[in-house]
Amino acid sequence: MTEQQQDESSAPKADGHARRWKRTLLLTALFVCLFFVAVAERGGPAISKVRKDGIIATLLDPLSLFAGRSPGEREGALLPTKLAKAGPEERVLSEVRDRDPGVGAAPPDPGLLPDAALPGSRLADGLPGGPAGGFTPFGLPFSPPGGPGDGFIPGGPGGPPFVPPPTNPPVSGVPEPGTWVVLILGFFAVGWAMRRRAHLRPGLTAR
Amino acid sequence: MRGLILVVLVSLAGIMLWPAAKEPAAAPGGALDAKSAALLAHVPENSPGTRIWYAASDYPRLKLPGGHEEIVKSALNIKGPMTFGSFVWDEERIPKSGAMWVRVDLAHQILSVFRGGHEIGSAVILYGTDGKPTPTGDFTVLQKSADYHSHAYDAAMPYMLRLTDDGVAIHGSNVREGYATHGCVGVPPEFAKKLFAVMAKGDPVFIVPQPQAKQG
């Protein structure tokens, strides 16, 4: 029994001893790590050289000098310094405007001329199309009635847009007399209906 | 015994960490090796109108578009960011002759003029929008016109240095924040005048693109 007791008492003793050593080793490892961290922070021999060289390079690199004097990168909405008087297309357009209408225009072909009375139709005369010069008639002299009436028909590939020639359809009065008549008749109809309702239900209106 | 080891370790750690906390790192003026010290000796601090002179043995090389590379012998010592419309021009103590070249940095909105490797001028620029971007790459001055008037924009472009056939140029412009050109490089008019005086036809102009992430 006593031997057993001795064994039982010596076993925890050995366990505790091993545990203490383990703890000491762990603490030593921790402090070794701390030592290296401290050396790095203080600018020790190995790490500080890299860091200081980096600072020198940053200080003296021309690119970093340029970056340092930069007002920053551009961001946000931007305004143009000058309003474009005319882009490349409009430059061509202005030449068309300045040109004498009688010069350079293709001879009018009655078979190709659109009906000027058609709403939205635009006359397309033969204008110089494309950089190659010459006269290239536009493929579609008619735009469909009710189509986009923006006043410009885009030219063919390479062809310039052009100003509509002064052959606009006659402009009628706005609103037209028929519109006025319908409007006034409608007011009469509404007034009549209201009066009729009031006449039919006098009690409601009296109250 | 164990306690003694612990005490020794703790005191060692304390000794090491205490001065580190008191005088933290990043002290470039500390002990430098000979090369770094020699480099730093060429940086005059807080002396107005001075420039950064690079050591002749160690000129930095600027990589430029088109595979070009130029050495930089000295650069203007501009402290802090420049404002829109401002510029610096300093050719004192710089040889009157030397190869001229211009570097336009779109990302940083900065233009630098070099003569014989020495930077003699720098200005904040305006450049093109996304719709009409300023082309990047290596160009040469194709045409000089001190009193140019743009037909396309019906606008004065004083001291114009044409770079491309389609009209991209460096010229005087009202350099303000929030504005962009139609592809040209706009510089303050006074700067444009000086630049016009020193640049000749055929002199290279390098337009450095924006970083890849900023493009598009």
Side-chain angles (χ1 to χ4, degrees):
Chain A
M1 284 301 284
T2 50
E3 281 181 3
Q4 270 187 351
Q5 278 175 351
Q6 275 177 357
D7 284 351
E8 280 172 2
S9 63
S10 65
K13 208 174 180 181
D15 277 358
H17 196 66
R19 212 178 298 140
R20 277 196 300 276
W21 267 112
K22 210 180 277 179
R23 200 185 304 158
T24 312
L25 274 175
L26 272 172
L27 279 170
T28 314
L30 178 72
F31 282 118
V32 166
C33 290
L34 278 173
F35 173 80
F36 279 113
V37 169
V39 164
E41 283 300 311
R42 292 177 68 188
I47 301 165
S48 75
K49 188 173 183 309
V50 175
R51 177 178 289 192
K52 280 171 185 163
D53 284 355
I55 290 166
I56 300 293
T58 310
L59 193 63
L60 295 183
D61 179 18
L63 290 177
S64 68
L65 292 177
F66 299 153
R69 71 176 70 149
S70 162
E73 290 184 27
R74 197 169 71 176
E75 39 187 46
L78 295 164
L79 294 167
T81 47
K82 48 196 171 292
L83 293 173
K85 185 191 93 179
E89 297 96 352
E90 288 166 17
R91 244 184 292 167
V92 178
L93 191 142
S94 69
E95 285 171 10
V96 174
R97 276 185 185 135
D98 295 336
R99 193 185 60 185
D100 184 355
V103 178
D109 185 353
L112 282 178
L113 281 180
D115 188 351
L118 269 177
S121 71
R122 296 287 184 261
L123 175 68
D125 63 355
L127 290 171
F135 297 107
T136 309
F138 286 91
L140 290 171
F142 293 99
S143 60
D150 56 357
F152 289 93
I153 296 177
F162 68 97
V163 180
T167 55
N168 292 324
V171 181
S172 55
V174 179
E176 289 178 345
T179 315
W180 278 116
V181 168
V182 169
L183 184 71
I184 290 165
L185 276 178
F187 276 126
F188 273 116
V190 169
W192 175 74
M194 285 173 74
R195 284 178 69 89
R196 183 164 167 270
R197 200 172 290 176
H199 179 69
L200 285 176
R201 292 187 288 179
L204 278 174
T205 49
R207 218 165 23 170
Chain B
M1 179 64 189
R2 199 183 72 239
L4 188 66
I5 291 174
L6 275 176
V7 167
V8 168
L9 283 174
V10 166
S11 45
L12 263 177
I15 288 165
M16 279 181 300
L17 286 174
W18 174 249
K22 271 188 86 176
E23 39 175 302
L32 296 174
D33 54 73
K35 185 184 160 195
S36 301
L39 281 172
L40 263 190
H42 291 271
V43 184
E45 282 295 328
N46 300 318
S47 40
T50 57
R51 54 177 59 242
I52 293 168
W53 299 89
Y54 292 106
S57 57
D58 204 1
Y59 286 140
R61 306 182 78 85
L62 268 186
K63 285 197 189 313
L64 296 162
H68 295 274
E69 204 176 68
E70 295 281 353
I71 59 163
V72 178
K73 295 178 179 173
S74 73
L76 294 168
N77 191 13
I78 302 168
K79 291 186 172 68
M82 298 167 78
T83 55
F84 282 84
S86 71
F87 68 91
V88 174
W89 193 276
D90 177 16
E91 46 186 322
E92 272 185 36
R93 295 179 288 159
I94 300 301
K96 294 293 175 200
S97 63
M100 295 293 312
W101 56 276
V102 165
R103 179 181 184 273
V104 180
D105 191 331
L106 298 185
H108 291 118
Q109 306 192 78
I110 286 288
L111 181 149
S112 292
V113 193
F114 288 84
R115 183 166 70 207
H118 300 279
E119 190 187 19
I120 58 172
S122 185
V124 180
I125 59 158
L126 295 183
Y127 63 97
T129 53
D130 292 341
K132 288 176 182 275
T134 299
T136 58
D138 56 326
F139 304 91
T140 52
V141 176
L142 302 175
Q143 179 200 354
K144 286 179 68 179
S145 176
D147 191 19
Y148 185 74
H149 192 91
S150 164
H151 301 295
Y153 297 105
D154 190 18
M157 295 183 175
Y159 306 108
M160 188 273 296
L161 301 169
R162 184 188 290 274
L163 303 180
T164 68
D165 288 329
D166 61 351
V168 172
I170 301 175
H171 61 78
S173 185
N174 185 359
V175 178
R176 295 161 288 174
E177 189 170 10
Y179 283 78
T181 67
H182 291 82
C184 288
V185 175
V187 292
E190 276 300 306
F191 183 86
K193 187 178 179 182
K194 291 173 181 293
L195 182 64
F196 186 86
V198 295
M199 292 290 280
K201 263 175 77 172
D203 285 341
V205 174
F206 304 101
I207 302 183
V208 181
Q210 303 205 37
Q212 203 62 34
K214 296 285 175 186
Q215 281 182 350

